[in-house]
Amino acid sequence: MESRNTSAPETASSGGALVLAWLFVGVPLLWGISQTFIKALALFNS
Amino acid sequence: MTEASLLDRSRTIAGPGYNRWLIPPAALAIHLAIGQAYAFSVFNKPLGSLISGDPANPAPDDWTPGQIGWTFSIAIVLLGLSAAVFGKWLERVGPRKAMMAASLCFGGGFLIGSLGVHLHSLALLYLGYGVVGGIGLGIGYISPVSTLIKWFPDRKGVATGMAIMGFGGGAMIGSPLAVALMDHFKGSAPQGVAPTFIVMGIIYLLFMQFGVWTIRVPADDWAPEGYVPSTEHDAMITTGNVSADNAIKTPQFWLLWVVLLTNVTAGIGVLETASPLIQNTFSEAAMGTGRGVTAAAAAGFVGLLSLFNLLGRFFWSSASDKLGRKTTYAIYFILGIILYALIPTLGAGLQLTLYVVAACVIISMYGGGFATAPAYLSDLFGKYQVGAIHGRLLTAWSTAGVLGPLIVHTLSEHAKEQNLAGAAAYQNVFYTMAGVLVVGLLANLAVRPVKEEYYEKGPVTIEAGGH
């Protein structure tokens, strides 16, 4: 819990939402990074 | 309950216990989408051969590279202009409505652009991807910034760095996605471009909805647990609040404008020429038969620069939370001047590894400059209208988008006329960019705390959950 204006604790569902939210943006980002990394390897293979 | 009311700021106030770490993914959903703009060049060849069907042999009526290039330029200019124009509106209506507008403009821009491609109308392509899409870029870019700063007063650099990192990552997703889609649709439309635009427009529109519906603003009295604003007075972090209209009357705003302009101009100098730069500097003639940098390896170099552009956004912006913004920018400039001045020597000495390392560090600081700017603004002007002030600062980016390539092309042409080859052909570019960074360093050193006369009088509503 991060708020000083509330006493409600974070729930397990908020933890699950957090994981899903980061997966939603993290998976495409990691895919993009991996594609770029593969391309970048050509520099070291030359 | 109407749809419009769901978009209102008042409907986005976070409830008790809301986890603030949900905000960065919401911001990333927007920035990962609009960051596609930096991958627009993947469409250059297909757009230039819609009639002939053969990029190597364009038909007389095919669009020229220059005509196609304007699409991206218009989008970047509109990014800066719309960020400046719509910044205050964003502060008033809140991030959700702004993100929705950005998603409609950015996705809609693709759809209008696809019609332009289908009808082979350059004007429609400019209007769609350039103007409408560019407005989506500008609104989208600034939409999560002030919200992140309000959620992370203790880690402003980390938070904005994460979001703006997404803009760097967007091109890494957009480029292979576009290639795959064009390949898929090749048989059904010229070069597969028009259907690719339609699919990408829809994908981005939907992807951005995640940000729209996840974003929340903190309640007025919210603060992170255990957060105690520093009692040690740091003169470079204001306790007051300056409006966007007053901010542009201060010398600090214009000094930061020069800081961003010079940092971006210099970085674009490397990015613009990366592929021919490394191929010509480390050519077979210079390195020996079979040892020169090939086109594929040069593409790898460009990819490596993209990775460091992305990593630098997060690394440097996060580091600025510890180092302070002014010190961080001083590092960008001092280290940048040294590296820019060194690169021609490394090229002439055929020091490929050191050359690549130097370029990667330079590009990491280019990305870092973008990501550190919002926190610097928040330190100097307060949280009140930091999104709107950031929007106005981004006109420096638009200016650099014209100035950087202009410097590079002018100096490269001059070198060609003098028959300079290899590393020598680019040395004036790097020395000039080192000079540009000296200007930025001086501007950064001149930044002082904003005078109290510019502060808002009386209490201000930091537009979080205020209304």
Side-chain angles (χ1 to χ4, degrees):
Chain A
M1 191 192 78
E2 293 176 307
S3 173
R4 71 182 175 198
N5 67 352
T6 172
S7 59
E10 273 180 30
T11 60
S13 65
S14 91
L18 200 62
V19 170
L20 285 176
W22 279 99
L23 280 176
F24 186 80
V25 292
V27 169
L29 178 59
L30 287 176
W31 177 73
I33 289 174
S34 69
Q35 296 293 310
T36 309
F37 188 73
I38 290 165
K39 201 167 97 177
L41 283 178
L43 179 63
F44 303 104
N45 293 334
S46 67
Chain B
M1 163 190 338
T2 65
E3 187 67 11
S5 71
L6 284 174
L7 297 173
D8 284 347
R9 171 184 287 280
S10 59
R11 299 298 300 271
T12 62
I13 301 167
Y18 190 82
N19 193 321
R20 65 174 173 164
W21 289 98
L22 282 165
I23 303 303
L28 269 169
I30 303 298
H31 273 239
L32 282 174
I34 61 174
Q36 179 280 335
Y38 265 146
F40 184 79
S41 61
V42 76
F43 294 116
N44 284 357
K45 280 187 179 175
L47 282 172
S49 53
L50 290 171
I51 295 174
S52 73
D54 179 7
N57 296 297
D61 287 340
D62 267 323
W63 294 331
T64 66
Q67 288 174 317
I68 297 162
W70 271 106
T71 315
F72 175 73
S73 300
I74 291 169
I76 291 298
V77 168
L78 263 292
L79 183 159
L81 291 178
S82 60
V85 169
F86 292 109
K88 279 179 76 175
W89 170 78
L90 155 68
E91 296 289 357
R92 194 174 66 249
V93 303
R96 181 172 289 173
K97 196 174 274 185
M99 286 179 172
M100 179 60 92
S103 69
L104 292 173
C105 287
F106 191 63
F110 263 109
L111 299 182
I112 297 169
S114 77
L115 191 63
V117 173
H118 179 70
L119 300 174
H120 207 252
S121 162
L122 201 53
L124 262 181
L125 179 65
Y126 289 164
L127 174 70
Y129 192 92
V131 177
V132 179
I135 292 170
L137 286 178
I139 298 174
Y141 193 92
I142 60 171
S143 60
V145 168
S146 66
T147 303
L148 282 163
I149 286 174
K150 286 158 195 161
W151 275 110
F152 291 87
D154 49 340
R155 301 179 197 189
K156 286 186 274 195
V158 172
T160 55
M162 266 189 279
I164 293 174
M165 176 183 76
F167 198 83
M172 295 182 184
I173 299 168
S175 178
L177 177 64
V179 170
L181 287 171
M182 283 190 288
D183 198 43
H184 178 75
F185 289 118
K186 223 170 219 169
S188 58
Q191 304 293 354
V193 180
T196 295
F197 267 34
I198 293 173
V199 173
M200 288 183 82
I202 293 169
I203 287 175
Y204 284 126
L205 178 64
L206 295 176
F207 190 75
M208 291 168 85
Q209 295 309 303
F210 174 77
V212 171
W213 300 108
T214 306
I215 197 78
R216 297 282 190 284
V217 293
D220 284 341
D221 61 344
W222 180 89
E225 191 175 89
Y227 174 64
V228 181
S230 174
T231 49
E232 286 174 33
H233 182 62
D234 181 344
M236 290 303 291
I237 302 176
T238 184
T239 52
N241 283 290
V242 182
S243 69
D245 290 343
N246 273 341
I248 58 170
K249 294 174 189 164
T250 66
Q252 286 82 358
F253 175 85
W254 293 106
L255 288 169
L256 280 191
W257 197 90
V258 172
V259 162
L260 187 64
L261 173 77
T262 50
N263 194 50
V264 177
T265 299
I268 284 177
V270 171
L271 283 175
E272 268 278 307
T273 54
S275 180
L277 175 75
I278 198 159
Q279 286 185 77
N280 293 337
T281 304
F282 298 96
S283 63
E284 224 170 51
M287 301 283 282
T289 307
R291 297 184 58 215
V293 170
T294 62
F301 178 59
V302 174
L304 200 63
L305 293 182
S306 306
L307 279 174
F308 275 82
N309 181 7
L310 175 135
L311 295 172
R313 287 166 192 251
F314 182 65
F315 172 79
W316 288 110
S317 185
S318 302
S320 76
D321 282 343
K322 302 282 180 204
L323 298 171
R325 321 302 169 193
K326 191 172 175 177
T327 306
T328 305
Y329 272 97
I331 292 171
Y332 297 158
F333 289 123
I334 293 169
L335 192 54
I337 291 164
I338 294 168
L339 292 174
Y340 273 97
L342 199 60
I343 274 193
T345 309
L346 294 174
L350 301 178
Q351 300 285 330
L352 179 59
T353 307
L354 289 176
Y355 190 94
V356 169
V357 170
C360 287
V361 174
I362 284 175
I363 290 305
S364 79
M365 297 189 297
Y366 162 81
F370 281 115
T372 316
Y376 206 166
L377 290 171
S378 174
D379 286 356
L380 286 171
F381 300 107
K383 291 187 283 186
Y384 175 41
Q385 289 188 337
V386 65
I389 299 169
H390 184 221
R392 292 176 188 198
L393 190 78
L394 291 182
T395 51
W397 182 2
S398 299
T399 310
V402 177
L403 191 62
L406 187 69
I407 292 173
V408 171
H409 293 151
T410 305
L411 293 176
S412 299
E413 285 302 311
H414 186 65
K416 251 185 212 168
E417 286 165 13
Q418 293 186 314
N419 292 320
L420 294 175
Y426 297 97
Q427 66 182 18
N428 284 344
V429 170
F430 285 105
Y431 292 147
T432 302
M433 291 309 180
V436 166
L437 289 181
V438 171
V439 175
L441 176 65
L442 294 175
N444 185 53
L445 289 176
V447 174
R448 298 279 182 273
V450 176
K451 288 182 179 169
E452 286 189 18
E453 67 187 77
Y454 294 106
Y455 289 3
E456 289 299 291
K457 307 291 182 285
V460 296
T461 304
I462 308 287
E463 303 207 17
H467 47 101

